[in-house]
Amino acid sequence: MDAKLLEILVCPVTKGPLIYKKAQNELISTSAGLAYPIKDGIPVMLEDEARKLTPEEVASYKAE
């Protein structure tokens, strides 16, 4: 994932920051409780395509 791209991307729902998780190939929005997939190196920034995070996942990402 390109570092410059990560600097400008925000959650389309909350406009908040995103956390890149390389192992999961996702961009995490703790404020929206969503994980946006990255497919073929391209972030899919659509709410309908995002995975809902469990409360435990949100808490663990906020603690990092």
Side-chain angles (χ1 to χ4, degrees):
M1 186 92 228
D2 182 51
K4 291 277 187 195
L5 181 59
L6 284 175
E7 288 178 19
I8 61 171
L9 282 178
V10 295
C11 174
V13 176
T14 66
K15 308 299 184 247
L18 296 167
I19 302 166
Y20 175 52
K21 291 297 175 184
K22 187 175 183 176
Q24 293 90 349
N25 213 29
E26 295 178 321
L27 292 171
I28 307 298
S29 171
T30 56
S31 56
L34 297 171
Y36 297 96
I38 300 170
K39 297 180 181 175
D40 298 322
I42 301 168
V44 181
M45 303 304 292
L46 301 170
E47 186 177 2
D48 292 344
E49 295 287 322
R51 175 176 69 83
K52 291 191 187 298
L53 298 174
T54 65
E56 294 81 16
E57 285 178 304
V58 172
S60 73
Y61 291 128
K62 285 184 177 181
E64 290 180 1

PDB file of all heavy atoms in Angstrom, residues 2-28:
ATOM      1  N   ASP A   2       0.614   2.142  -0.876  1.00  0.00           N
ATOM      2  CA  ASP A   2       1.408   3.350  -1.022  1.00  0.00           C
ATOM      3  C   ASP A   2       1.219   4.282   0.174  1.00  0.00           C
ATOM      4  O   ASP A   2       0.088   4.607   0.553  1.00  0.00           O
ATOM      5  CB  ASP A   2       1.008   4.054  -2.319  1.00  0.00           C
ATOM      6  CG  ASP A   2       1.817   5.290  -2.584  1.00  0.00           C
ATOM      7  OD1 ASP A   2       3.058   5.200  -2.531  1.00  0.00           O
ATOM      8  OD2 ASP A   2       1.215   6.350  -2.825  1.00  0.00           O
ATOM      9  N   ALA A   3       2.314   4.698   0.783  1.00  0.00           N
ATOM     10  CA  ALA A   3       2.268   5.562   1.967  1.00  0.00           C
ATOM     11  C   ALA A   3       1.613   6.904   1.672  1.00  0.00           C
ATOM     12  O   ALA A   3       0.869   7.433   2.507  1.00  0.00           O
ATOM     13  CB  ALA A   3       3.669   5.768   2.516  1.00  0.00           C
ATOM     14  N   LYS A   4       1.849   7.454   0.510  1.00  0.00           N
ATOM     15  CA  LYS A   4       1.236   8.744   0.137  1.00  0.00           C
ATOM     16  C   LYS A   4      -0.282   8.614   0.043  1.00  0.00           C
ATOM     17  O   LYS A   4      -1.016   9.497   0.465  1.00  0.00           O
ATOM     18  CB  LYS A   4       1.787   9.245  -1.200  1.00  0.00           C
ATOM     19  CG  LYS A   4       3.214   9.662  -1.146  1.00  0.00           C
ATOM     20  CD  LYS A   4       3.297  11.078  -0.617  1.00  0.00           C
ATOM     21  CE  LYS A   4       4.724  11.557  -0.730  1.00  0.00           C
ATOM     22  NZ  LYS A   4       4.965  12.741   0.040  1.00  0.00           N
ATOM     23  N   LEU A   5      -0.742   7.507  -0.502  1.00  0.00           N
ATOM     24  CA  LEU A   5      -2.178   7.271  -0.618  1.00  0.00           C
ATOM     25  C   LEU A   5      -2.804   7.136   0.770  1.00  0.00           C
ATOM     26  O   LEU A   5      -3.873   7.691   1.037  1.00  0.00           O
ATOM     27  CB  LEU A   5      -2.450   6.013  -1.446  1.00  0.00           C
ATOM     28  CG  LEU A   5      -3.912   5.641  -1.678  1.00  0.00           C
ATOM     29  CD1 LEU A   5      -4.660   6.763  -2.392  1.00  0.00           C
ATOM     30  CD2 LEU A   5      -4.002   4.355  -2.484  1.00  0.00           C
ATOM     31  N   LEU A   6      -2.126   6.438   1.659  1.00  0.00           N
ATOM     32  CA  LEU A   6      -2.630   6.273   3.022  1.00  0.00           C
ATOM     33  C   LEU A   6      -2.767   7.613   3.747  1.00  0.00           C
ATOM     34  O   LEU A   6      -3.666   7.777   4.575  1.00  0.00           O
ATOM     35  CB  LEU A   6      -1.719   5.350   3.825  1.00  0.00           C
ATOM     36  CG  LEU A   6      -1.843   3.871   3.533  1.00  0.00           C
ATOM     37  CD1 LEU A   6      -0.799   3.085   4.299  1.00  0.00           C
ATOM     38  CD2 LEU A   6      -3.229   3.366   3.877  1.00  0.00           C
ATOM     39  N   GLU A   7      -1.887   8.551   3.437  1.00  0.00           N
ATOM     40  CA  GLU A   7      -1.938   9.871   4.069  1.00  0.00           C
ATOM     41  C   GLU A   7      -3.197  10.650   3.702  1.00  0.00           C
ATOM     42  O   GLU A   7      -3.707  11.418   4.513  1.00  0.00           O
ATOM     43  CB  GLU A   7      -0.710  10.699   3.672  1.00  0.00           C
ATOM     44  CG  GLU A   7       0.572  10.247   4.303  1.00  0.00           C
ATOM     45  CD  GLU A   7       1.762  11.068   3.836  1.00  0.00           C
ATOM     46  OE1 GLU A   7       1.556  12.184   3.318  1.00  0.00           O
ATOM     47  OE2 GLU A   7       2.884  10.579   3.978  1.00  0.00           O
ATOM     48  N   ILE A   8      -3.713  10.447   2.487  1.00  0.00           N
ATOM     49  CA  ILE A   8      -4.857  11.246   2.043  1.00  0.00           C
ATOM     50  C   ILE A   8      -6.204  10.534   2.178  1.00  0.00           C
ATOM     51  O   ILE A   8      -7.231  11.187   2.168  1.00  0.00           O
ATOM     52  CB  ILE A   8      -4.667  11.745   0.592  1.00  0.00           C
ATOM     53  CG1 ILE A   8      -4.539  10.582  -0.378  1.00  0.00           C
ATOM     54  CG2 ILE A   8      -3.481  12.668   0.502  1.00  0.00           C
ATOM     55  CD1 ILE A   8      -4.565  10.983  -1.842  1.00  0.00           C
ATOM     56  N   LEU A   9      -6.181   9.218   2.304  1.00  0.00           N
ATOM     57  CA  LEU A   9      -7.441   8.477   2.427  1.00  0.00           C
ATOM     58  C   LEU A   9      -8.071   8.680   3.803  1.00  0.00           C
ATOM     59  O   LEU A   9      -7.381   8.667   4.822  1.00  0.00           O
ATOM     60  CB  LEU A   9      -7.216   6.982   2.211  1.00  0.00           C
ATOM     61  CG  LEU A   9      -7.063   6.500   0.783  1.00  0.00           C
ATOM     62  CD1 LEU A   9      -6.791   5.003   0.765  1.00  0.00           C
ATOM     63  CD2 LEU A   9      -8.289   6.811  -0.037  1.00  0.00           C
ATOM     64  N   VAL A  10      -9.387   8.848   3.815  1.00  0.00           N
ATOM     65  CA  VAL A  10     -10.151   8.912   5.059  1.00  0.00           C
ATOM     66  C   VAL A  10     -11.382   8.033   4.905  1.00  0.00           C
ATOM     67  O   VAL A  10     -11.766   7.667   3.793  1.00  0.00           O
ATOM     68  CB  VAL A  10     -10.587  10.364   5.410  1.00  0.00           C
ATOM     69  CG1 VAL A  10      -9.392  11.248   5.694  1.00  0.00           C
ATOM     70  CG2 VAL A  10     -11.464  10.959   4.326  1.00  0.00           C
ATOM     71  N   CYS A  11     -12.016   7.734   6.000  1.00  0.00           N
ATOM     72  CA  CYS A  11     -13.249   6.948   5.976  1.00  0.00           C
ATOM     73  C   CYS A  11     -14.319   7.759   5.241  1.00  0.00           C
ATOM     74  O   CYS A  11     -14.564   8.917   5.591  1.00  0.00           O
ATOM     75  CB  CYS A  11     -13.690   6.635   7.401  1.00  0.00           C
ATOM     76  SG  CYS A  11     -15.295   5.805   7.473  1.00  0.00           S
ATOM     77  N   PRO A  12     -14.972   7.175   4.244  1.00  0.00           N
ATOM     78  CA  PRO A  12     -16.008   7.918   3.512  1.00  0.00           C
ATOM     79  C   PRO A  12     -17.265   8.181   4.350  1.00  0.00           C
ATOM     80  O   PRO A  12     -18.036   9.073   4.041  1.00  0.00           O
ATOM     81  CB  PRO A  12     -16.325   7.026   2.313  1.00  0.00           C
ATOM     82  CG  PRO A  12     -15.878   5.680   2.698  1.00  0.00           C
ATOM     83  CD  PRO A  12     -14.744   5.860   3.669  1.00  0.00           C
ATOM     84  N   VAL A  13     -17.437   7.444   5.432  1.00  0.00           N
ATOM     85  CA  VAL A  13     -18.612   7.612   6.284  1.00  0.00           C
ATOM     86  C   VAL A  13     -18.389   8.713   7.313  1.00  0.00           C
ATOM     87  O   VAL A  13     -19.215   9.612   7.470  1.00  0.00           O
ATOM     88  CB  VAL A  13     -18.973   6.281   6.987  1.00  0.00           C
ATOM     89  CG1 VAL A  13     -20.125   6.464   7.957  1.00  0.00           C
ATOM     90  CG2 VAL A  13     -19.293   5.199   5.970  1.00  0.00           C
ATOM     91  N   THR A  14     -17.263   8.656   8.020  1.00  0.00           N
ATOM     92  CA  THR A  14     -17.009   9.583   9.128  1.00  0.00           C
ATOM     93  C   THR A  14     -15.964  10.651   8.810  1.00  0.00           C
ATOM     94  O   THR A  14     -15.801  11.575   9.591  1.00  0.00           O
ATOM     95  CB  THR A  14     -16.521   8.814  10.366  1.00  0.00           C
ATOM     96  OG1 THR A  14     -15.244   8.234  10.068  1.00  0.00           O
ATOM     97  CG2 THR A  14     -17.505   7.741  10.787  1.00  0.00           C
ATOM     98  N   LYS A  15     -15.256  10.482   7.714  1.00  0.00           N
ATOM     99  CA  LYS A  15     -14.130  11.359   7.333  1.00  0.00           C
ATOM    100  C   LYS A  15     -12.979  11.266   8.333  1.00  0.00           C
ATOM    101  O   LYS A  15     -12.114  12.116   8.390  1.00  0.00           O
ATOM    102  CB  LYS A  15     -14.567  12.829   7.185  1.00  0.00           C
ATOM    103  CG  LYS A  15     -15.753  13.033   6.271  1.00  0.00           C
ATOM    104  CD  LYS A  15     -15.491  12.577   4.867  1.00  0.00           C
ATOM    105  CE  LYS A  15     -16.661  12.884   3.949  1.00  0.00           C
ATOM    106  NZ  LYS A  15     -17.355  11.745   3.445  1.00  0.00           N
ATOM    107  N   GLY A  16     -12.988  10.210   9.138  1.00  0.00           N
ATOM    108  CA  GLY A  16     -11.939   9.985  10.126  1.00  0.00           C
ATOM    109  C   GLY A  16     -10.756   9.224   9.541  1.00  0.00           C
ATOM    110  O   GLY A  16     -10.790   8.749   8.398  1.00  0.00           O
ATOM    111  N   PRO A  17      -9.700   9.082  10.330  1.00  0.00           N
ATOM    112  CA  PRO A  17      -8.489   8.395   9.856  1.00  0.00           C
ATOM    113  C   PRO A  17      -8.703   6.890   9.693  1.00  0.00           C
ATOM    114  O   PRO A  17      -9.631   6.315  10.278  1.00  0.00           O
ATOM    115  CB  PRO A  17      -7.477   8.680  10.965  1.00  0.00           C
ATOM    116  CG  PRO A  17      -8.308   8.898  12.179  1.00  0.00           C
ATOM    117  CD  PRO A  17      -9.581   9.552  11.701  1.00  0.00           C
ATOM    118  N   LEU A  18      -7.821   6.296   8.907  1.00  0.00           N
ATOM    119  CA  LEU A  18      -7.868   4.850   8.661  1.00  0.00           C
ATOM    120  C   LEU A  18      -6.575   4.212   9.147  1.00  0.00           C
ATOM    121  O   LEU A  18      -5.516   4.832   9.124  1.00  0.00           O
ATOM    122  CB  LEU A  18      -8.042   4.579   7.166  1.00  0.00           C
ATOM    123  CG  LEU A  18      -9.353   5.070   6.559  1.00  0.00           C
ATOM    124  CD1 LEU A  18      -9.259   5.042   5.043  1.00  0.00           C
ATOM    125  CD2 LEU A  18     -10.521   4.238   7.038  1.00  0.00           C
ATOM    126  N   ILE A  19      -6.684   2.961   9.559  1.00  0.00           N
ATOM    127  CA  ILE A  19      -5.524   2.180   9.999  1.00  0.00           C
ATOM    128  C   ILE A  19      -5.313   1.077   8.968  1.00  0.00           C
ATOM    129  O   ILE A  19      -6.230   0.303   8.683  1.00  0.00           O
ATOM    130  CB  ILE A  19      -5.779   1.560  11.391  1.00  0.00           C
ATOM    131  CG1 ILE A  19      -6.088   2.643  12.415  1.00  0.00           C
ATOM    132  CG2 ILE A  19      -4.589   0.702  11.820  1.00  0.00           C
ATOM    133  CD1 ILE A  19      -6.667   2.102  13.718  1.00  0.00           C
ATOM    134  N   TYR A  20      -4.109   1.002   8.412  1.00  0.00           N
ATOM    135  CA  TYR A  20      -3.791  -0.034   7.426  1.00  0.00           C
ATOM    136  C   TYR A  20      -3.354  -1.304   8.140  1.00  0.00           C
ATOM    137  O   TYR A  20      -2.436  -1.291   8.944  1.00  0.00           O
ATOM    138  CB  TYR A  20      -2.692   0.459   6.494  1.00  0.00           C
ATOM    139  CG  TYR A  20      -2.196  -0.578   5.519  1.00  0.00           C
ATOM    140  CD1 TYR A  20      -3.069  -1.294   4.711  1.00  0.00           C
ATOM    141  CD2 TYR A  20      -0.836  -0.841   5.395  1.00  0.00           C
ATOM    142  CE1 TYR A  20      -2.604  -2.233   3.810  1.00  0.00           C
ATOM    143  CE2 TYR A  20      -0.356  -1.764   4.488  1.00  0.00           C
ATOM    144  CZ  TYR A  20      -1.251  -2.462   3.702  1.00  0.00           C
ATOM    145  OH  TYR A  20      -0.790  -3.388   2.808  1.00  0.00           O
ATOM    146  N   LYS A  21      -4.031  -2.399   7.826  1.00  0.00           N
ATOM    147  CA  LYS A  21      -3.686  -3.715   8.367  1.00  0.00           C
ATOM    148  C   LYS A  21      -3.255  -4.605   7.208  1.00  0.00           C
ATOM    149  O   LYS A  21      -4.088  -5.129   6.464  1.00  0.00           O
ATOM    150  CB  LYS A  21      -4.878  -4.335   9.117  1.00  0.00           C
ATOM    151  CG  LYS A  21      -5.206  -3.620  10.404  1.00  0.00           C
ATOM    152  CD  LYS A  21      -4.031  -3.747  11.330  1.00  0.00           C
ATOM    153  CE  LYS A  21      -4.198  -2.978  12.597  1.00  0.00           C
ATOM    154  NZ  LYS A  21      -3.028  -3.031  13.436  1.00  0.00           N
ATOM    155  N   LYS A  22      -1.947  -4.713   7.058  1.00  0.00           N
ATOM    156  CA  LYS A  22      -1.382  -5.457   5.931  1.00  0.00           C
ATOM    157  C   LYS A  22      -1.796  -6.926   5.958  1.00  0.00           C
ATOM    158  O   LYS A  22      -2.180  -7.479   4.923  1.00  0.00           O
ATOM    159  CB  LYS A  22       0.140  -5.336   5.950  1.00  0.00           C
ATOM    160  CG  LYS A  22       0.805  -5.934   4.745  1.00  0.00           C
ATOM    161  CD  LYS A  22       2.294  -5.691   4.758  1.00  0.00           C
ATOM    162  CE  LYS A  22       2.932  -6.244   3.495  1.00  0.00           C
ATOM    163  NZ  LYS A  22       4.356  -5.940   3.442  1.00  0.00           N
ATOM    164  N   ALA A  23      -1.742  -7.560   7.124  1.00  0.00           N
ATOM    165  CA  ALA A  23      -2.059  -8.993   7.226  1.00  0.00           C
ATOM    166  C   ALA A  23      -3.487  -9.301   6.785  1.00  0.00           C
ATOM    167  O   ALA A  23      -3.747 -10.327   6.155  1.00  0.00           O
ATOM    168  CB  ALA A  23      -1.830  -9.482   8.655  1.00  0.00           C
ATOM    169  N   GLN A  24      -4.420  -8.399   7.106  1.00  0.00           N
ATOM    170  CA  GLN A  24      -5.821  -8.597   6.742  1.00  0.00           C
ATOM    171  C   GLN A  24      -6.154  -7.982   5.383  1.00  0.00           C
ATOM    172  O   GLN A  24      -7.248  -8.196   4.854  1.00  0.00           O
ATOM    173  CB  GLN A  24      -6.757  -7.986   7.797  1.00  0.00           C
ATOM    174  CG  GLN A  24      -6.721  -8.682   9.118  1.00  0.00           C
ATOM    175  CD  GLN A  24      -5.663  -8.097  10.060  1.00  0.00           C
ATOM    176  OE1 GLN A  24      -4.802  -7.304   9.678  1.00  0.00           O
ATOM    177  NE2 GLN A  24      -5.709  -8.527  11.303  1.00  0.00           N
ATOM    178  N   ASN A  25      -5.227  -7.184   4.848  1.00  0.00           N
ATOM    179  CA  ASN A  25      -5.435  -6.482   3.585  1.00  0.00           C
ATOM    180  C   ASN A  25      -6.685  -5.598   3.659  1.00  0.00           C
ATOM    181  O   ASN A  25      -7.547  -5.639   2.784  1.00  0.00           O
ATOM    182  CB  ASN A  25      -5.516  -7.466   2.414  1.00  0.00           C
ATOM    183  CG  ASN A  25      -4.955  -6.878   1.146  1.00  0.00           C
ATOM    184  OD1 ASN A  25      -4.077  -6.029   1.169  1.00  0.00           O
ATOM    185  ND2 ASN A  25      -5.475  -7.324   0.018  1.00  0.00           N
ATOM    186  N   GLU A  26      -6.748  -4.806   4.744  1.00  0.00           N
ATOM    187  CA  GLU A  26      -7.898  -3.948   4.996  1.00  0.00           C
ATOM    188  C   GLU A  26      -7.462  -2.582   5.518  1.00  0.00           C
ATOM    189  O   GLU A  26      -6.383  -2.439   6.079  1.00  0.00           O
ATOM    190  CB  GLU A  26      -8.818  -4.567   6.057  1.00  0.00           C
ATOM    191  CG  GLU A  26      -9.482  -5.853   5.647  1.00  0.00           C
ATOM    192  CD  GLU A  26     -10.328  -6.447   6.748  1.00  0.00           C
ATOM    193  OE1 GLU A  26      -9.935  -6.398   7.933  1.00  0.00           O
ATOM    194  OE2 GLU A  26     -11.395  -6.984   6.415  1.00  0.00           O
ATOM    195  N   LEU A  27      -8.347  -1.606   5.346  1.00  0.00           N
ATOM    196  CA  LEU A  27      -8.212  -0.299   5.965  1.00  0.00           C
ATOM    197  C   LEU A  27      -9.306  -0.200   7.017  1.00  0.00           C
ATOM    198  O   LEU A  27     -10.489  -0.382   6.709  1.00  0.00           O
ATOM    199  CB  LEU A  27      -8.366   0.819   4.929  1.00  0.00           C
ATOM    200  CG  LEU A  27      -7.242   0.912   3.907  1.00  0.00           C
ATOM    201  CD1 LEU A  27      -7.596   1.907   2.812  1.00  0.00           C
ATOM    202  CD2 LEU A  27      -5.937   1.314   4.572  1.00  0.00           C
ATOM    203  N   ILE A  28      -8.913   0.070   8.248  1.00  0.00           N
ATOM    204  CA  ILE A  28      -9.826   0.034   9.384  1.00  0.00           C
ATOM    205  C   ILE A  28     -10.254   1.442   9.771  1.00  0.00           C
ATOM    206  O   ILE A  28      -9.414   2.331   9.946  1.00  0.00           O
ATOM    207  CB  ILE A  28      -9.149  -0.633  10.605  1.00  0.00           C
ATOM    208  CG1 ILE A  28      -8.582  -2.004  10.238  1.00  0.00           C
ATOM    209  CG2 ILE A  28     -10.086  -0.697  11.796  1.00  0.00           C
ATOM    210  CD1 ILE A  28      -9.583  -3.031   9.793  1.00  0.00           C
TER     211      ILE A  28
END
